[in-house]
Amino acid sequence: MNLVGRRDAIHLPYNRPIMSENPSPIESEFATAEEAEAYDRWFRAKVQMSLDDQRPTASHEEVMAVLQKLIETKRDTNACPSKLPCRVPC
């Protein structure tokens, strides 16, 4: 069976279908209209707070460089003192 291009045929574990790109207006991931409206208000408020934030921004490259340094520091700190591959922490 060819599933290419058939988004409706792809399922996640427990038979939960992947959300389609254009969900039907009848379908909703919320139990009630009130829940959907509350989520929409919350989401819009979070977006507006982000847009209004005056703190300086950082580029993706800057953030990734800082995180890579952090990973390397943690890796060095937690390195096995025997320098041999082992499965049990020293």
Side-chain angles (χ1 to χ4, degrees):
M1 177 178 192
N2 184 2
L3 299 179
V4 175
R6 295 234 9 240
R7 293 176 139 272
D8 61 324
I10 302 171
H11 288 76
L12 295 172
Y14 310 109
N15 296 325
R16 292 182 58 208
I18 293 176
M19 294 292 294
S20 65
E21 291 177 17
N22 299 314
S24 163
I26 298 171
E27 297 174 17
S28 174
E29 56 186 286
F30 300 101
T32 65
E34 291 80 18
E35 286 180 8
E37 290 167 3
Y39 175 81
D40 187 63
R41 284 191 304 273
W42 170 84
F43 182 76
R44 289 175 185 275
K46 294 294 272 185
V47 169
Q48 192 59 54
M49 283 173 41
S50 181
L51 292 172
D52 294 342
D53 190 349
Q54 297 299 312
R55 292 179 292 180
T57 59
S59 72
H60 176 75
E61 290 77 17
E62 291 171 319
V63 172
M64 293 308 293
V66 169
L67 290 176
Q68 188 60 43
K69 252 186 198 175
L70 177 64
I71 290 168
E72 290 167 5
T73 301
K74 294 290 185 181
R75 187 177 292 137
D76 293 344
T77 302
N78 295 328
C80 180
S82 70
K83 302 294 183 203
L84 298 172
C86 59
R87 295 182 183 203
V88 179
C90 297

